[in-house]
Amino acid sequence: MAIITVDGREINVKDDALLIDELLANDVSVPHFCYHPALGKDGNCRMCMVEIEGQKRPQIACDTPVKDGMIIRTQSENIARVKRQMLELELVNHPIDCPICDQAGECSLQNFYMEAGLYDSRVDIAKNKKQKHVDLGANVILDQERCVLCTRCVRFTSNITKTHELGVVVRNDHSFISTFPGIKLSNPYAMNVIDLCPVGALTSKDFRFTQRVWFLKPQEAICDGCSRGCSLLVDHNREKYKDDLIYRYRPKHNDAVNGYFICDYGRLNYKKENDNRLKFAYIRGMESEFEYATLKLERLLKRYNSKALLLISPTLSLEEIYRLKKLSQKLDLDINSFDENFDESFGDDMLRQNDKTPNRRAIELQGIESSKEDLQKKLKDKDFVLLINRADVDMIKDLGYDGSIGVLSSSDFLHKDKLDIIIPVASHTQRDGTFINCDDFIQYSKCQIKRDIESIKILDLVEGILNDGVSTCEAVWDSGLKEENFLKDINFNDVRFNSIKIELK
Amino acid sequence: MGFKIVPRYGKSLKDKLYLPALFGGMKTTMSHFLKNLSDTSNIKTECYPEMQPTDITSRYRGVHRLTHRDDDSVRCVACFMCATACPAECIFIEATQREDNVDEKMPKKFSIDLLECVFCGGCVEACPCDAIRMDTGIFTFVAQKREDFVLNKEQLLANKEGN
Ligand code: SF4
Ligand code: SF4
Ligand code: SF4
Ligand code: SF4
Ligand code: FES
């Protein structure tokens, strides 16, 4: 522990920590471009200047370890002048095309100008021209004029992905970022450079011009792309007279799971939430009223009892799995969760996992059978199979099953007319729930977006049948989920805000 | 918070009778009526629409128009500043990539719902490109259906500067 004084305020800091980290952690504003906690210091932008008592000249906070008793000034007349000059230099050749720049609204350059700049331009000569629209590959578009040459993107490809696609070429104020000749940006994490870039030099081709960022409303969620379960920010917006749509996913910083990054597959996985959604309930291929279909499903399950099988999916939340298990016990239904959503070529040693479902661990921990043999055996004497959060009808037909089939799914699928009952359910970002990732971290996905298309949450559907008033996640925990062995020491309210590792006894 | 006690009027017999006030009002009306009847050339009201107003200043906010660049193409870059500033949220823009090397971004669709618009002029103030103005001098607009009051990009571009 060390104590430093910042602008007259004493703060406790860790020994040998970087000054910039401690300042930022204590809400002291320090403009910076090149420093990023995941990439470390580089010391090239000189924006993070602070005054340290006893030192003749201002120092960069990103390359100064804290020392006990340090006295720091970040607001003095002198330091304000230094920051203004650094910014002025940075902006000499900047095109300032904020009106057409997707970064506007979340741009460090804009923010620092409002905070530390506010000077009138003294540049009356023409600005350097560079390329404004370079497709670097991997959905990343480069505007060389907007770049502040902080090299975050270069350091990401050299230190984090180790794919070395990017570099700085040409000297002094003609320098620009480029891929090496003959190669494109191509690695499964490439789009993270878009978030890393503090300005609008690197923007997303996928998000390009679809929304201005200040219209977007971020909500927190857990990615359902693979069993890593990275933390996400879901940026959505309901335009006037339109439906609420998701426009992008961004990584949410979470040291326990994904750090500052997510993979590109997960990032683009938001599309399934918007597109190809199941819009109506169907009974034997005919569009049906929603209420009628849910009542019909209840009757079917109660009629078939032990002749019915719930085939659940590892994309369901822990609460949904628990409630479906309860439903199967109450109505004497069989339950299984066989699912083959693995991709041996997907996993790597960074974040991605071969298991492309977010919650297989929860199924395992609740002791639900998921083997193919078990499914085959159970299918033998069944007259009704209900696929829940999945629509792989062909899979059970291939196993020789030819009885009635029902489907609860959020996305649309083919050959609906052959099935007895189909009900659209809330998609991943439309309902909250907890997920247990590949490293046994239990995490809460909070995002609940209200769409215009009609769908029902599985918790509500089960509640409608069991009629016990348990339809929120919290109520499910209180109704008995928290007694489960693996959740003994865990409290739902803690899970809400943190990723917590479950201890298996 | 404090409050103010407002005195109540109308308790006297004259007030309660009501008729004296009625005749007082009639007197004002009749005096104007007779004055106007004797000198019709000085009547303040205009027989709109046969008579059109002649004293509209150039700062009067009429129906919007989208301005053009020197090469006659659309000046708007779909930055959404106007839509952000608009208190009635009646500007609907869809942006797209501009392919002609004049600029990078432009509106694919741009429409203003005149029925929702409150003619505050906020959009004109907000525009960083002088791409939207309300100087068409069109202060009255008629249409058969609600939908016809929503001016699209082509209509807004076709509107000309008024006098
Ligand atoms: S990078 Fe920032 S300052 Fe530059 S044009 Fe984009 S929003 Fe404006
Ligand atoms: S492109 Fe962005 S991240 Fe890369 S050097 Fe330029 S400003 Fe920095
Ligand atoms: S005049 Fe005001 S209300 Fe009308 S479009 Fe412009 S900003 Fe919106
Ligand atoms: S009219 Fe002006 S403010 Fe509105 S989108 Fe176009 S350029 Fe931006
Ligand atoms: S952040 Fe310290 S020099 Fe760039």
Side-chain angles (χ1 to χ4, degrees):
Chain A
M1 266 301 180
I3 297 178
I4 60 172
T5 314
V6 182
D7 300 326
R9 176 161 71 108
E10 282 197 353
I11 51 181
N12 285 323
V13 297
K14 285 192 287 295
D15 278 322
D16 302 323
L18 268 187
L19 182 57
I20 193 166
D21 279 336
E22 296 301 328
L23 292 178
L24 294 175
N26 285 287
D27 292 328
V28 181
S29 115
V30 189
H32 59 285
F33 290 118
C34 68
Y35 177 75
H36 187 281
L39 304 171
K41 59 190 176 222
D42 199 53
N44 70 50
C45 77
R46 320 308 285 182
M47 269 306 292
C48 60
M49 296 277 199
V50 293
E51 248 179 351
I52 302 175
E53 198 150 293
Q55 306 254 20
K56 227 191 272 160
R57 278 177 282 275
Q59 302 290 321
I60 52 173
C62 71
D63 199 12
T64 307
V66 293
K67 267 207 254 26
D68 197 26
M70 255 182 177
I71 300 176
I72 315 280
R73 276 184 295 274
T74 68
Q75 303 294 342
S76 69
E77 187 65 31
N78 186 32
I79 208 75
R81 187 178 50 83
V82 170
K83 283 193 222 169
R84 200 160 50 236
Q85 286 171 347
M86 289 321 301
L87 205 59
E88 198 172 0
L89 197 62
E90 210 71 83
L91 277 163
V92 165
N93 282 308
H94 196 83
I96 321 198
D97 35 33
C98 311
I100 56 165
C101 178
D102 267 346
Q103 190 85 1
E106 52 183 17
C107 170
S108 297
L109 200 45
Q110 281 184 328
N111 294 346
F112 299 155
Y113 177 80
M114 295 314 283
E115 188 188 317
L118 290 179
Y119 54 81
D120 288 326
S121 172
R122 291 184 282 168
V123 181
D124 50 6
I125 49 163
K127 299 191 172 197
N128 278 348
K129 291 271 172 242
K130 292 177 195 169
Q131 287 201 66
K132 285 197 70 69
H133 184 180
V134 189
D135 193 337
L136 291 183
N139 275 315
V140 181
I141 293 192
L142 166 68
D143 185 320
Q144 293 170 343
E145 289 183 359
R146 290 180 197 150
C147 171
V148 293
L149 289 165
C150 67
T151 71
R152 280 189 192 182
C153 54
V154 177
R155 284 178 285 147
F156 177 78
T157 56
S158 61
N159 305 350
I160 307 279
T161 60
K162 308 214 165 40
T163 44
H164 306 274
E165 294 107 329
L166 296 173
V168 186
V169 288
V170 190
R171 275 186 299 175
N172 59 48
D173 65 349
H174 294 284
S175 321
F176 56 84
I177 296 293
S178 170
T179 47
F180 285 101
I183 61 166
K184 285 266 182 194
L185 195 57
S186 69
N187 66 69
Y189 298 90
M191 288 177 83
N192 286 299
V193 294
I194 296 162
D195 307 319
L196 284 173
C197 180
V199 294
L202 298 176
T203 52
S204 158
K205 194 169 168 182
D206 180 65
F207 178 67
R208 192 167 167 85
F209 301 161
T210 54
Q211 285 281 304
R212 306 290 357 228
V213 296
W214 54 86
F215 294 129
L216 298 173
K217 294 165 193 71
Q219 284 203 45
E220 293 168 19
I222 300 299
C223 178
D224 61 343
C226 80
S227 61
R228 176 71 63 182
C230 297
S231 292
L232 294 179
L233 289 171
V234 176
D235 282 338
H236 68 107
N237 179 31
R238 179 184 284 274
E239 283 186 7
K240 202 172 178 183
Y241 305 130
K242 292 195 182 152
D243 197 0
D244 206 332
L245 293 179
I246 298 173
Y247 291 92
R248 62 177 181 182
Y249 281 170
R250 280 179 297 146
K252 177 174 170 283
H253 173 215
N254 180 356
D255 276 331
V257 177
N258 56 303
Y260 290 86
F261 308 121
I262 53 173
C263 77
D264 291 2
Y265 171 82
R267 187 185 292 262
L268 296 174
N269 208 12
Y270 75 91
K271 292 182 182 174
K272 76 167 178 14
E273 303 288 308
N274 291 345
D275 307 334
N276 191 37
R277 293 291 303 271
L278 190 57
K279 296 200 179 69
F280 307 101
Y282 296 86
I283 293 179
R284 280 189 222 93
M286 303 281 285
E287 254 175 53
S288 153
E289 291 212 2
F290 210 79
E291 301 273 294
Y292 181 73
T294 48
L295 289 173
K296 166 105 183 163
L297 178 70
E298 180 176 346
R299 279 203 306 275
L300 282 176
L301 291 176
K302 286 184 172 160
R303 166 142 50 94
Y304 285 112
N305 292 114
S306 57
K307 290 266 173 213
L309 171 76
L310 302 181
L311 185 52
I312 66 173
S313 149
T315 55
L316 292 164
S317 72
L318 179 61
E319 290 80 5
E320 288 165 343
I321 297 166
Y322 178 78
R323 289 288 284 171
L324 288 165
K325 192 172 141 194
K326 179 138 267 174
L327 179 75
S328 73
Q329 288 161 351
K330 279 262 159 66
L331 298 187
D332 193 22
L333 315 166
D334 249 339
I335 190 164
N336 178 289
S337 73
F338 170 66
D339 170 282
E340 278 183 315
N341 207 350
F342 289 94
D343 181 348
E344 298 303 330
S345 62
F346 187 73
D348 59 23
D349 49 11
M350 223 176 120
L351 296 170
R352 309 210 303 183
Q353 294 290 311
N354 287 339
D355 175 4
K356 293 183 79 178
T357 63
N359 217 10
R360 199 177 298 275
R361 194 73 181 110
I363 289 188
E364 227 172 277
L365 288 168
Q366 299 207 31
I368 294 172
E369 260 308 328
S370 59
S371 68
K372 190 172 182 176
E373 296 69 39
D374 180 74
L375 176 63
Q376 261 169 329
K377 197 174 88 220
K378 284 178 175 161
L379 279 177
K380 284 220 176 82
D381 63 339
K382 291 293 176 290
D383 293 329
F384 181 59
V385 174
L386 183 63
L387 303 176
I388 303 178
N389 235 17
R390 57 198 289 172
D392 41 356
V393 176
D394 292 341
M395 187 273 290
I396 53 170
K397 289 206 165 145
D398 288 347
L399 291 180
Y401 175 78
D402 61 354
S404 298
I405 298 177
V407 170
L408 306 181
S409 164
S410 58
S411 40
D412 206 355
F413 54 96
L414 294 173
H415 309 306
K416 292 195 286 288
D417 47 334
K418 303 263 163 32
L419 307 183
D420 285 76
I421 186 162
I422 300 171
I423 299 176
V425 291
S427 70
H428 184 62
T429 52
Q430 282 183 286
R431 56 94 166 94
D432 60 339
T434 52
F435 296 84
I436 302 178
N437 88 342
C438 54
D439 295 324
D440 280 354
F441 278 103
I442 176 164
Q443 317 191 74
Y444 178 61
S445 181
K446 184 164 144 201
C447 181
Q448 299 191 57
I449 295 171
K450 292 202 171 53
R451 290 286 306 269
D452 285 345
I453 47 179
E454 213 169 7
S455 65
I456 187 164
K457 291 182 189 170
I458 288 172
L459 288 185
D460 288 333
L461 196 75
V462 177
E463 198 279 331
I465 300 174
L466 293 180
N467 226 335
D468 55 3
V470 178
S471 62
T472 63
C473 288
E474 192 164 8
V476 175
W477 278 65
D478 287 338
S479 78
L481 178 61
K482 66 178 176 204
E483 312 300 331
E484 293 273 328
N485 229 344
F486 60 97
L487 296 177
K488 271 278 157 50
D489 308 321
I490 295 175
N491 177 327
F492 180 60
N493 267 325
D494 298 337
V495 176
R496 246 178 226 234
F497 304 106
N498 297 302
S499 307
I500 298 177
K501 188 147 179 125
I502 53 177
E503 303 293 339
L504 299 172
K505 305 229 165 61
Chain B
M1 214 171 23
F3 52 88
K4 178 179 163 193
I5 298 178
V6 186
R8 291 200 156 265
Y9 298 101
K11 288 204 179 123
S12 70
L13 179 67
K14 190 180 160 209
D15 289 341
K16 283 185 175 165
L17 275 177
Y18 179 57
L19 283 176
L22 190 78
F23 286 117
M26 283 300 280
K27 195 176 128 201
T28 310
T29 311
M30 291 309 282
S31 70
H32 280 289
F33 175 63
L34 293 173
K35 190 175 133 227
N36 285 343
L37 203 63
S38 60
D39 179 10
T40 44
S41 62
N42 255 332
I43 298 179
K44 290 275 186 247
T45 43
E46 286 171 359
C47 297
Y48 180 82
E50 289 82 5
M51 276 168 83
Q52 293 283 331
T54 52
D55 53 353
I56 289 184
T57 71
S58 50
R59 293 178 57 192
Y60 187 92
R61 295 192 288 268
V63 170
H64 317 66
R65 71 183 174 103
L66 284 176
T67 61
H68 300 259
R69 293 177 197 239
D70 292 341
D71 64 359
D72 221 32
S73 62
V74 57
R75 188 178 282 276
C76 171
V77 295
C79 70
F80 286 73
M81 287 297 149
C82 52
T84 307
C86 179
E89 296 179 12
C90 65
I91 306 183
F92 304 88
I93 308 173
E94 216 177 282
T96 186
Q97 174 89 29
R98 190 168 176 157
E99 305 290 359
D100 57 5
N101 286 330
V102 178
D103 214 321
E104 267 186 79
K105 193 179 177 189
M106 66 175 210
K108 180 158 118 206
K109 291 187 188 154
F110 190 116
S111 53
I112 299 182
D113 188 339
L114 292 180
L115 290 183
E116 290 186 279
C117 173
V118 296
F119 292 87
C120 63
C123 47
V124 180
E125 291 292 321
C127 181
C129 308
D130 190 18
I132 187 167
R133 292 197 190 175
M134 296 175 79
D135 59 2
T136 51
I138 307 174
F139 55 87
T140 159
F141 37 95
V142 210
Q144 303 271 354
K145 308 194 291 298
R146 275 170 186 278
E147 292 75 24
D148 294 347
F149 284 97
V150 183
L151 297 191
N152 61 25
K153 181 174 131 190
E154 287 67 36
Q155 289 167 311
L156 288 165
L157 278 168
N159 278 350
K160 293 274 170 310
E161 180 171 358
N163 29 36

